Amino acid sequence: MEFSGYDINKYSPRQMVALPLALLLLALAVLGYTTLATGLPLTPGIDFAGGTAVTVFTSDSRETIEATFAGYPLLSVGEGVGDGKYVQFGPMDDDQYRSFSALVNEKYPGAKVDQIGETFGKTLQSQAFLALIFSFIGVAIVIFIAYRNPVASGAIVLAAASDITITAGAMQVLGIPLSLGTTAALLMLIGYAADSNVLLTTRLLKRKGKFEEKLSGAFRTGIIMTTTTLGAIVAMWVVATAGQIQIISAIASVLIIGLLADMMNTWMLNAGILKAHIFRSGKK
Amino acid sequence: MNKETLTNLVKDWRVALLLLLVIGSLVSIYLAPPNPEKGLEGNLQFGLDLQGGSWLQMEFQSVVVAYSTDGSVGDLIENLRTGLETEVIQIDENHLEIRKNVSRADLEPIFAASGASIVTYQEGVSPFTADEVKRILNEKVNALGMQDARINLLTPTGSEYPQYVRIELAGVDMATAQEIVGTQGLFEIRVQTTGNETEHVLYGDQITSVGVPQRDTYGQWGVGFSLTDAGAEAFRAAAIESGAVDNPNAHHLVMILDNETVYSAPLSGELAGQIRSGPVSSLSASTGTGDSGREDAMTLQIHLRAGALPVKVDIVGSGSVPAALGEQFKMTVALAGIIALLAVGVMVYYRYREPSIVLPMLAVNFAEIVILLGISRFIIQLDLATIAGLIAVVGTGIDQLIIITDEVLHEGRVPSQNLYLKRYGRALRIIAISAATVVIAMLPLALMDLSTLRGFAIITILGVLIGILVTRPAYGKIIMAILSK
């Protein structure tokens, strides 16, 4: 597959990094604004805020469901293909939850129900935050050990951080909440970012040959790589969304956004930085 | 490819190892032990969301405090007990377990009043208490004949003490699950009158607290428990009327839990004397010396509590999946997996247009999935998140096969073995670095007790490791044989 529309060697480093950096800043602004407004960079889902999620296959309309649960803190009714419904509720106290439970059992005995308490959600949130921090530090250390070149390693870490930030910003804009599943997907992005960026950096720094050829060669491999992965993930997203499997659908949507962000960050941001670095240090 | 190259290929240790692992995995899924009635699923272990069942996550209402004191520990414990109206247990030299969800700020004044101070404060229980909870829950579940129950203690990262217990019951609905965890058995103390006849003394509701097994100065293990005033009165009346005070050996005291005798022993001479002069509310049931005495004391302790947990627990999370919906999810994820693999096939074919490259690539990718499933059978249950991890691993797997292919295919066909090996080495370097990053990125999630995403993280790490150790080297060998034909 060739993306003839983008000739990676045509642009100057400054042009290459402009768009990714602009998007990164925009994402930071979105996340910063959300943090100021709510105290958290992303809207927490039920896993982290507490609440109840009900997955049910029913021919009842959204209005019927809303009417059935009128007395409860209903947040949203999501509809999949066919009869699948994903209904979310805010936190309830013990008594309310008991009567809620009885109601679900009576109306929709075939439903999948998951409930997380508010304080337990907070604990999960801080644990997920810890995981994110540990992961990122660990990855940065591995990359620095692997290259021992501050510019190359810094560019990879920046690209990975930017992947996560831009994806998180997009999640906030699209209304995908932060849950355990999406946190895992953000972590997984670090892995995908490493694949493509390490490929680029290794090809450019370790191979002999003309810079332009090395770059377009790496680009060709990288694009086929990412689009293939994208194919697998899109397939997963389509089936899971149609089948109303919330957790897989959420993981897949975050991975799709992230892979798109990664293509941009690898082939514009990281490639731009490396191009400037290589030309400045005079090794062609 | 002719027959000779094929034999040589299979003889190569990399390819041989791959084949061996695939066969081993198929055997572990389908033949060890054979499970024909499960069809394609074989021996794969499914999580609740694919199998149907209920889970409850409960938080211990208890804190563990490290303290320092100039005064007596006994006084401190006594002050805490009376001040908080709760059980306080000394775990070791400088740690106390306070079985109540009490804040640090509320504890400070009590410690200060006893001339002590709090060094550290953590929510949770001692590992000993946590194991006891687990044992009690196990006993309850077993008593109901449920085999498919998983009970796990969870310790948040950064804490040393278990704070949660999670119970998963396959094939059980939420109401039943709550009942199992919540209900207590009926505990009764009876006294032997004449022969084997017994008479009611008191029920478990008269027991106010139950201690932990302790050894007295003679090496006898026993469990202390306290009675209400009414209970102590009833106990005294029964002991005197039945004649147990005068002739203890003919009138055993019998403890019964749900109609089953769990303990039977005479009054000690000392206690008989005390009872004669007035009601006694602090009693102790001894169980003998040595390890067997200790074991018996542990069990007796659980019985005395009538299956109630030593620590109050609050349900902080719960969920249930009906079996039919689980089955539907299973079908859906299987479909997602197959379609993902097909999508990969189409993309790769579109790029290389060469069946002799595309087919081995897909075959190796598929082999990787089979090996992962074969190994996962022994270590994790497949739940929805784990399957998402599996598909994500297929994504990185194919990434790396593409890196190898493109690296060796650079500028057309491979001229010499040497050059091939050099290029292959370079590809492996890229793969090794990216594998290391994925492992490191996922490690925190895999190690964290709390996350329900352990499966996702473990399968990802496992996938990357199998990739770098087995499937990538084998693919490198296969693609070389194909390209150099």
Side-chain angles (χ1 to χ4, degrees):
Chain A
M1 202 183 317
E2 310 274 331
F3 278 70
S4 46
Y6 180 59
D7 176 2
I8 193 160
N9 284 309
K10 212 170 86 187
Y11 303 94
S12 72
R14 202 179 295 263
Q15 286 171 315
M16 288 167 87
V17 301
L19 180 66
L21 285 182
L23 279 180
L24 176 60
L25 288 178
L26 190 65
L28 281 174
V30 170
L31 300 179
Y33 173 77
T34 321
T35 311
L36 286 181
T38 65
L40 285 172
L42 280 170
T43 309
I46 279 174
D47 293 350
F48 294 148
T52 305
V54 179
T55 306
V56 63
F57 286 82
T58 170
S59 52
D60 288 2
S61 70
R62 172 193 293 260
E63 289 72 30
T64 318
I65 293 175
E66 278 171 357
T68 309
F69 295 107
Y72 300 93
L74 188 125
L75 297 177
S76 67
V77 183
E79 284 166 281
V81 181
D83 285 337
K85 305 278 188 311
Y86 183 72
V87 194
Q88 287 174 289
F89 297 86
M92 293 176 240
D93 64 31
D94 281 1
D95 288 339
Q96 196 178 18
Y97 186 72
R98 215 163 293 137
S99 73
F100 171 82
S101 219
L103 180 64
V104 172
N105 232 339
E106 181 205 322
K107 289 268 182 188
Y108 304 110
K112 172 181 194 286
V113 183
D114 286 290
Q115 175 252 335
I116 297 286
E118 214 172 343
T119 45
F120 181 50
K122 291 249 163 57
T123 310
L124 285 178
Q125 194 176 308
S126 60
Q127 296 275 305
F129 184 70
L130 270 183
L132 214 55
I133 298 286
F134 281 138
S135 283
F136 205 77
I137 295 173
V139 168
I141 293 173
V142 170
I143 298 290
F144 275 95
I145 292 176
Y147 288 104
R148 294 183 208 95
N149 173 338
V151 177
S153 326
I156 296 181
V157 174
L158 175 68
S162 176
D163 280 2
I164 292 183
T165 312
I166 291 176
T167 309
M171 280 166 66
Q172 187 60 27
V173 171
L174 296 174
I176 302 172
L178 188 68
S179 63
L180 283 170
T182 48
T183 307
L186 288 176
L187 287 175
M188 194 69 206
L189 281 184
I190 301 180
Y192 285 127
D195 264 342
S196 54
N197 286 287
V198 167
L199 166 80
L200 169 69
T201 311
T202 306
R203 287 270 185 99
L204 290 188
L205 295 185
K206 306 282 169 187
R207 234 186 211 186
K208 293 187 190 74
K210 273 181 76 181
F211 177 83
E212 283 76 18
E213 277 170 19
K214 290 191 289 185
L215 182 56
S216 48
F219 180 61
R220 215 175 307 125
T221 304
I223 289 298
I224 164 73
M225 215 166 84
T226 309
T227 43
T228 309
T229 310
L230 214 45
I233 308 288
V234 167
M236 173 161 100
W237 181 80
V238 169
V239 178
T241 308
Q244 204 53 261
I245 300 182
Q246 193 60 28
I247 185 164
I248 297 188
S249 163
I251 289 178
S253 9
V254 171
L255 288 180
I256 291 172
I257 302 171
L259 284 172
L260 293 174
D262 182 54
M263 276 206 246
M264 179 187 74
N265 282 323
T266 309
W267 305 110
M268 295 172 79
L269 183 64
N270 192 5
I273 295 172
L274 284 175
K275 194 172 182 180
H277 172 64
I278 288 170
F279 281 99
R280 192 168 306 156
S281 52
K283 12 173 188 168
K284 267 201 169 182
Chain B
M1 201 186 308
N2 59 32
K3 203 170 167 204
E4 196 189 341
T5 26
L6 198 66
T7 346
N8 280 338
L9 200 55
V10 175
K11 275 188 187 153
D12 184 87
W13 67 270
R14 285 157 279 220
V15 182
L17 182 63
L18 177 72
L19 289 175
L20 208 66
L21 279 177
V22 169
I23 294 167
S25 298
L26 289 174
V27 167
S28 97
I29 299 174
Y30 294 112
L31 294 176
N35 211 343
E37 71 273 19
K38 287 272 179 141
L40 262 181
E41 289 167 15
N43 294 316
L44 292 176
Q45 302 291 310
F46 290 102
L48 279 189
D49 44 12
L50 293 177
Q51 188 186 13
S54 299
W55 61 273
L56 288 170
Q57 183 141 337
M58 294 164 285
E59 184 180 28
F60 299 126
Q61 301 299 301
S62 170
V63 298
V64 175
V65 175
Y67 65 94
S68 72
T69 178
D70 303 327
S72 114
V73 186
D75 287 349
L76 174 62
I77 295 178
E78 201 44 53
N79 288 345
L80 285 166
R81 265 189 198 145
T82 46
L84 298 167
E85 290 182 336
T86 189
E87 196 73 19
V88 178
I89 284 154
Q90 184 159 17
I91 308 172
D92 56 34
E93 264 174 72
N94 43 16
H95 286 86
L96 294 179
E97 174 182 292
I98 301 167
R99 291 176 172 177
K100 191 175 190 174
N101 187 12
V102 53
S103 73
R104 184 170 183 155
D106 288 344
L107 283 177
E108 302 272 10
I110 306 177
F111 274 78
S114 318
S117 60
I118 299 176
V119 181
T120 61
Y121 167 97
Q122 267 173 333
E123 289 176 26
V125 295
S126 68
F128 183 83
T129 309
D131 282 341
E132 193 185 318
V133 169
K134 191 173 169 178
R135 203 163 43 227
I136 295 171
L137 289 174
N138 248 326
E139 207 159 279
K140 283 182 160 193
V141 171
N142 286 343
L144 289 158
M146 256 173 266
Q147 292 115 7
D148 237 358
R150 290 189 190 85
I151 300 165
N152 290 310
L153 298 166
L154 306 174
T155 309
T157 305
S159 168
E160 295 158 61
Y161 302 101
Q163 196 182 341
Y164 303 94
V165 57
R166 184 183 169 98
I167 176 163
E168 295 183 358
L169 300 164
V172 170
D173 66 32
M174 181 50 79
T176 318
Q178 264 166 346
E179 207 166 287
I180 291 168
V181 176
T183 49
Q184 284 182 233
L186 181 67
F187 182 84
E188 187 187 7
I189 296 181
R190 298 178 75 90
V191 65
Q192 213 178 341
T193 48
T194 45
N196 279 333
E197 297 282 301
T198 58
E199 201 170 77
H200 169 76
V201 180
L202 53 87
Y203 287 117
D205 59 351
Q206 298 297 324
I207 297 175
T208 52
S209 71
V210 178
V212 291
Q214 269 169 338
R215 203 157 37 157
D216 66 13
T217 43
Y218 308 106
Q220 282 269 350
W221 283 94
V223 182
F225 58 98
S226 318
L227 299 176
T228 59
D229 291 344
E233 239 357 298
F235 193 85
R236 177 171 188 247
I240 293 173
E241 273 160 37
S242 64
V245 174
D246 303 315
N247 184 5
N249 284 326
H251 303 279
H252 278 206
L253 282 149
V254 186
M255 297 183 187
I256 292 160
L257 179 62
D258 291 335
N259 293 326
E260 220 171 288
T261 301
V262 293
Y263 181 84
S264 169
L267 285 177
S268 73
E270 195 187 336
L271 181 59
Q274 286 174 359
I275 283 181
R276 210 171 274 139
S277 51
V280 179
S281 59
S282 284
L283 301 167
S284 173
S286 61
T287 51
T289 54
D291 282 347
S292 70
R294 192 170 139 266
E295 280 297 315
D296 289 349
M298 297 265 200
T299 328
L300 179 61
Q301 175 198 203
I302 294 171
H303 291 147
L304 272 169
R305 293 183 204 280
L309 303 177
V311 191
K312 192 171 166 283
V313 291
D314 271 5
I315 295 179
V316 292
S318 62
S320 63
V321 188
L325 196 54
E327 196 58 42
Q328 185 182 334
F329 285 159
K330 214 186 276 175
M331 288 300 146
T332 316
V333 290
L335 188 67
I338 292 167
I339 294 186
L341 205 60
L342 283 178
V344 165
V346 171
M347 302 294 280
V348 174
Y349 184 76
Y350 184 73
R351 165 73 170 86
Y352 294 102
R353 312 250 170 192
E354 175 67 67
S356 64
I357 293 177
V358 175
L359 288 180
M361 211 182 232
L362 291 178
V364 168
N365 214 224
F366 188 67
E368 193 172 315
I369 298 175
V370 172
I371 295 174
L372 265 178
L373 288 175
I375 295 180
S376 74
R377 181 214 147 180
F378 297 104
I379 50 172
I380 42 170
Q381 317 158 38
L382 297 173
D383 55 19
L384 289 171
T386 313
I387 286 171
L390 199 66
I391 297 178
V393 158
V394 176
T396 48
I398 205 80
D399 269 11
Q400 304 185 340
L401 298 184
I402 292 171
I403 293 179
I404 296 177
T405 316
D406 276 19
E407 197 74 32
V408 297
L409 267 180
H410 181 55
E411 288 161 19
R413 291 277 148 108
V414 194
S416 73
Q417 174 99 1
N418 264 347
L419 192 55
Y420 171 84
L421 283 178
K422 208 177 138 207
R423 287 173 178 174
Y424 175 68
R426 201 161 47 197
L428 267 195
R429 183 185 149 81
I430 300 177
I431 291 169
I433 298 174
S434 87
T437 39
V438 177
V439 171
I440 295 288
M442 284 296 158
L443 207 55
L445 271 189
L447 295 179
M448 279 188 168
D449 239 357
L450 271 193
S451 88
T452 38
L453 293 168
R454 265 190 113 155
F456 178 90
I458 291 173
I459 204 100
T460 313
I461 292 177
L462 209 60
V464 168
L465 291 181
I466 291 172
I468 187 102
L469 297 175
V470 185
T471 52
R472 298 328 167 243
Y475 176 75
K477 201 72 197 169
I478 294 169
I479 203 77
M480 181 166 106
I482 290 169
L483 292 179
S484 55
K485 81 181 158 187

